[in-house]
Amino acid sequence: MIEAIYFDNACTTYPKPEEVAQAVHAYITQVGSNVNRSSYGRAYGAEEMVYDARERLCRFFGGGDCRNVVFTKNVTESLNILLKGFLKPGDHVITTSMEHNAVMRPLTQLSRQGVAFSRAWCREDGSLPPGELEKCLRPNTRALVMTHASNVCGTILPVEEAGAFCRAHGLRFFVDAAQTGGTVPIHMQEMHIDALAFTGHKGLLGPQGIGGFILGEDMPMELEPLLSGGTGSVSHKEEMPDFMPDRFEAGTLNLPGIAGLCAGLDWLEKTGIHRIARHELDLTEQFLAGLNGLKARGLGIEILGKTGREGRTGVVSIRTPGHGLAQTAARLDEAYGIMTRVGLHCAPYAHRTLGTFPEGTIRFSFGWWNRAEQVEAAVEALGRILAEESDGF
């Protein structure tokens, strides 16, 4: 029987720590109550769990007030709330050419309502050259929104330098941390981040359906709530509360998801983010070396992004010129049990930057539970597939 090898951790981490599944199960089977709605001990216990999650996230990401941690379904919802709540007709915002559609689709919608945006152009390895942000400045620029790391090629963008740029020019700074939360250290206050959007099901090792954002202390009243509805607080009024986090949390929270996210954060704190990052980059370095070995044999492989382990996450995208990407990815799965992601990865302009549009790439993304022998197996499988295809099989 072929061993299943999961290399799609940039999409969602798998497996999760056992503690995460236990926490979700325990909430559903032993608690079950909502928060802010009921007046009995079990509901108060649920509220304590949610407050603990806010404190953990605030501490983990270097935020200020834990009341400014807002829960959503995912980073996409978070970015929609942030961008649509902050930007107004006549505003201009800067972004980069490496963004995910979670940034670009809201900005494109807003552009039809009078909000303009400019892309700072990145290099072919996904990195952002110094001075590119400055070129995009306009008198009406209000914010910079950018990903912390590319979901296509793993290149880390200079968030700390971008935060200093925003501070110098009086701009608000929004960061998409989908690919780095849990694997790359982030400190909002030190990096001058005004709003950080995160998702729970990737590096934070929680279940799908839970995410959120964290606001700087002076940000809440600068955003108009995108959603409105029941909060369980000031219920005699038909307007959303103006205090945090209720200002942005309409409706029932995903409490089993928050319980699972809490367990994931606990596991991360015990294991150590630096230890996790080092393991993933060791695998990345091994994989890059193996790919270069295949290239030396004359097999058709093109590696996108940075060539070494520095300045990147554990994400590697490749092209196989002369060989169909979808067919190669399907063969990896069917014949060797190796699961990857093929296509444009919801980031078409990133692929334009990398020179891989419209075909896309095959993406390998490594996680804590991957092993060196699995990386070796992937290199060997790629070699066999490309050799077979070259021979006409």
Side-chain angles (χ1 to χ4, degrees):
M1 182 176 179
I2 299 171
E3 177 197 7
I5 300 177
Y6 185 82
F7 284 152
D8 197 18
N9 289 281
C11 185
T12 191
T13 49
Y14 177 84
K16 311 294 185 186
E18 181 60 30
E19 295 91 330
V20 172
Q22 291 172 354
V24 173
H25 182 264
Y27 197 90
I28 292 171
T29 59
Q30 299 173 30
V31 183
S33 301
N34 287 333
V35 297
N36 290 352
R37 270 85 171 165
S38 306
S39 303
Y40 46 84
R42 190 181 298 178
Y44 295 145
E47 290 178 11
E48 290 176 4
M49 181 273 293
V50 174
Y51 184 80
D52 178 53
R54 296 191 207 275
E55 282 196 317
R56 284 173 177 267
L57 287 161
C58 197
R59 183 171 63 248
F60 191 82
F61 288 118
D65 189 338
C66 73
R67 290 175 296 183
N68 288 350
V69 176
V70 176
F71 289 110
T72 65
K73 295 191 297 292
N74 46 53
V75 77
T76 298
E77 184 177 44
S78 296
L79 287 164
N80 271 268
I81 292 171
L82 293 171
L83 295 172
K84 295 175 181 177
F86 181 75
L87 296 168
K88 305 292 187 292
D91 289 343
H92 173 256
V93 60
I94 301 171
T95 189
T96 81
S97 66
M98 292 302 293
E99 301 305 313
H100 189 278
N101 276 340
V103 167
M104 295 316 307
R105 285 182 172 174
L107 288 183
T108 299
Q109 280 187 320
L110 287 166
S111 71
R112 295 194 287 268
Q113 302 168 21
V115 174
F117 66 87
S118 299
R119 289 184 177 97
W121 197 259
C122 295
R123 300 186 182 98
E124 286 190 0
D125 65 357
S127 60
L128 181 64
E132 285 300 308
L133 296 177
E134 193 91 29
K135 295 177 185 178
C136 296
L137 271 176
R138 297 182 186 176
N140 60 334
T141 303
R142 290 196 66 206
L144 165 64
V145 55
M146 65 187 290
T147 186
H148 192 184
S150 169
N151 71 310
V152 178
C153 63
T155 299
I156 296 175
L157 273 65
V159 164
E160 193 164 358
E161 292 83 350
F165 167 83
C166 289
R167 178 62 60 93
H169 293 282
L171 309 180
R172 291 301 191 180
F173 187 28
F174 299 169
V175 173
D176 172 2
Q179 291 296 317
T180 54
T183 57
V184 178
I186 299 171
H187 197 287
M188 289 182 62
Q189 295 179 81
E190 292 178 0
M191 295 176 170
H192 305 303
I193 298 171
D194 294 298
L196 183 83
F198 65 88
T199 197
H201 68 101
K202 299 181 191 282
L204 297 181
L205 300 170
Q208 287 96 329
I210 188 65
F213 58 89
I214 307 175
L215 296 177
E217 294 191 20
D218 60 346
M219 279 296 295
M221 297 310 294
E222 291 200 31
L223 298 170
E224 188 67 24
L226 181 64
L227 304 174
S228 56
T231 60
S233 56
V234 291
S235 296
H236 60 290
K237 294 185 177 180
E238 293 182 339
E239 296 179 353
M240 285 297 287
D242 60 5
F243 53 83
M244 295 294 289
D246 299 42
R247 181 169 171 80
F248 300 102
E249 286 185 347
T252 303
L253 296 177
N254 177 4
L255 296 166
I258 294 173
L261 179 58
C262 256
L265 290 166
D266 187 54
W267 187 92
L268 281 172
E269 289 175 0
K270 291 175 181 176
T271 306
I273 186 173
H274 295 285
R275 185 179 169 202
I276 295 167
R278 186 169 57 250
H279 174 72
E280 292 181 3
L281 290 175
D282 285 346
L283 298 179
T284 301
E285 188 173 38
Q286 177 192 353
F287 188 57
L288 290 170
L291 293 177
N292 283 317
L294 297 181
K295 289 175 66 177
R297 289 169 47 190
L299 298 175
I301 289 182
E302 180 184 351
I303 305 170
L304 286 307
K306 292 183 173 289
T307 57
R309 65 184 287 153
E310 298 302 320
R312 66 175 305 134
T313 63
V315 174
V316 179
S317 270
I318 67 168
R319 284 203 301 179
T320 54
H323 307 275
L325 291 174
Q327 293 90 333
T328 301
R331 182 105 172 101
L332 281 169
D333 179 34
E334 294 163 3
Y336 300 97
I338 298 170
M339 292 169 271
T340 62
R341 183 172 174 183
V342 65
L344 292 173
H345 315 99
C346 300
Y349 230 90
H351 282 278
R352 291 182 187 275
T353 303
L354 299 168
T356 54
F357 186 87
E359 295 84 3
T361 59
I362 302 173
R363 186 184 70 184
F364 298 75
S365 48
F366 307 112
W368 174 255
W369 279 274
N370 291 130
R371 307 185 306 275
E373 54 266 33
Q374 293 178 327
V375 173
E376 182 179 356
V379 172
E380 291 178 357
L382 267 173
R384 291 195 196 101
I385 292 168
L386 296 178
E388 289 171 0
E389 291 178 354
S390 297
D391 291 338
F393 289 100

